[in-house]
Structures are given as structure tokens and as C-alpha cells.
């Protein structure tokens, strides 16, 4: 996986999204409920929580993409301020890279379940990822760098639709790496 998506075009971002899906299927697709819910330490997320969080965090983008595809999206005032969207997009992408060394706290509405998560969470993520790739591909003919959206995570932040795609995928890469680290400690159940 390539974590530097700041200037990546749609084809590259889609390819990285597919790599996340393939890696997820291979690394986590056959894990048991015990393995999906195992945590290296208290306060850290399990593999299941990583993917539950991604499903929750990606979900609000679908109505935005649909509204754009149907031509119903009208720019809000904040979305029309020059330079801010590009600045916010690049900053978020850089912050979310797995190798950035920064930990970003999830907003409360995007926190994963604290209860046991079914192993089916991996299949649910893969289904959502397939839909996401299709939605991205369906916007290929649009000027993705010029369409500005408001972040569904924090309404003060705006960025281009292309940066939204970059943010989604780099966020997935980040949590994929986090989930892979859960497999490493000697106490991981076999």
C-alpha cells in the first residue's frame, strides 16, 4: 500500500481502496469471534472495532456522493471560500497517514461498539468497500478537485470530493495497519 495519497488521482485512490479490501480479506477474513474481539491492552481497539469504526465513519459519505451524482448538491457558503478546502484536505490526509506518528481521537459518534463484534464485520466492511469503489468510479467524469463538500465528521471543515476520497482511503489504510498490529503480540489467540 502507498500511504502518500495527497496528490493521487482517482485511479490510484481506487486501486489503493481495492488493496485495502484485498489485504483485509486475506489478513482478517477467516478470524474467529475471539480473535476479532481480542485487544492487546485495555483501552486499545480490537480488529473488529477498527473495522466497525471504518464502516461508521464511511457511511455519511454515501448520501453526499449520491447528491453530487444526481446534480442536487448546492455549495454552502463555507464551501465557496477559496483555498480553505485545499488546505483542510491536505492537512487531514497527512494527519491520517499510518506513518504520520499522530494519534487522532475519533469523535464520539464515530466510536466503535464496545460490546462483542461478530466476525461478519469483515464481510460488512468488504461489502461497503465494494460499494464505495463503485461510487467513486461513478463520479469519474466529474471535476472532483473542484467539487467542494463539508466534512461529515466536522462541519467546520471543507475539502474537495477528490480529497474526501483520499481521506477515506488513507483513513482505511491507517486502521488496517492498526488492525494488523493487533495480530502481532504474543498473546493473540490462535
Amino acid at each position: 500500500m502507498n500511504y502518500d495519497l495527497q496528490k493521487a488521482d482517482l485511479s490510484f485512490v481506487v486501486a489503493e481502496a481495492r488493496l485495502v479490501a484485498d489485504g483485509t480479506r486475506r489478513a482478517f477474513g477467516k478470524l474467529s469471534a475471539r480473535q476479532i474481539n481480542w485487544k492487546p491492552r485495555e483501552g486499545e481497539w480490537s480488529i473488529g472495532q477498527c473495522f466497525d469504526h471504518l464502516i461508521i465513519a464511511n457511511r455519511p459519505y454515501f448520501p453526499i456522493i449520491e447528491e453530487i451524482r444526481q446534480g442536487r448538491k448546492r455549495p454552502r457558503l463555507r464551501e465557496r471560500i477559496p483555498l480553505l478546502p485545499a488546505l483542510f484536505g491536505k492537512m487531514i490526509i497527512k494527519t491520517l497517514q499510518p506513518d504520520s506518528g499522530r494519534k487522532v481521537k475519533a469523535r464520539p459518534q464515530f466510536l466503535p461498539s464496545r460490546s462483542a463484534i461478530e466476525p461478519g464485520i469483515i464481510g460488512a466492511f468488504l461489502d461497503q468497500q465494494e460499494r464505495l469503489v463503485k461510487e467513486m468510479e461513478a463520479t469519474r467524469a466529474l471535476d472532483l478537485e473542484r467539487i467542494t463538500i463539508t466534512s461529515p465528521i466536522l462541519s467546520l471543515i471543507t475539502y474537495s470530493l477528490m480529497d474526501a476520497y483520499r481521506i477515506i482511503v488513507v483513513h482505511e489504510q491507517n486502521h488496517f495497519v492498526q488492525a494488523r498490529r493487533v495480530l502481532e503480540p504474543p498473546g493473540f489467540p490462535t
Side-chain angles (χ1 to χ4, degrees), residues 105-132:
K105 285 226 179 237
R107 298 189 52 83
Q109 67 268 35
F110 297 99
L111 288 173
S113 173
R114 291 178 189 226
S115 60
I117 294 174
E118 293 295 318
I121 194 75
I122 301 302
F125 171 76
L126 293 172
D127 289 346
Q128 186 188 66
Q129 191 74 345
E130 184 178 328
R131 180 178 171 211
L132 181 63

Side-chain angles (χ1 to χ4, degrees), residues 96-189:
L96 289 175
Q97 288 176 329
D99 56 2
S100 75
R102 298 179 186 127
K103 277 194 118 174
V104 180
K105 285 226 179 237
R107 298 189 52 83
Q109 67 268 35
F110 297 99
L111 288 173
S113 173
R114 291 178 189 226
S115 60
I117 294 174
E118 293 295 318
I121 194 75
I122 301 302
F125 171 76
L126 293 172
D127 289 346
Q128 186 188 66
Q129 191 74 345
E130 184 178 328
R131 180 178 171 211
L132 181 63
V133 165
K134 285 179 183 173
E135 291 291 334
M136 288 180 185
E137 291 284 6
T139 61
R140 183 172 290 283
L142 302 176
D143 189 348
L144 302 175
E145 296 286 2
R146 294 198 59 167
I147 298 169
T148 304
I149 68 167
T150 298
S151 168
I153 285 84
L154 189 59
S155 64
L156 298 172
I157 294 178
T158 60
Y159 37 75
S160 72
L161 183 58
M162 189 63 234
D163 276 344
Y165 293 161
R166 293 172 182 132
I167 288 165
I168 290 167
V169 175
V170 80
H171 184 228
E172 291 174 347
Q173 290 172 332
N174 187 325
H175 288 292
F176 175 83
V177 168
Q178 180 184 1
R180 287 289 305 254
R181 287 187 189 126
V182 175
L183 297 171
E184 296 170 0
F188 185 77

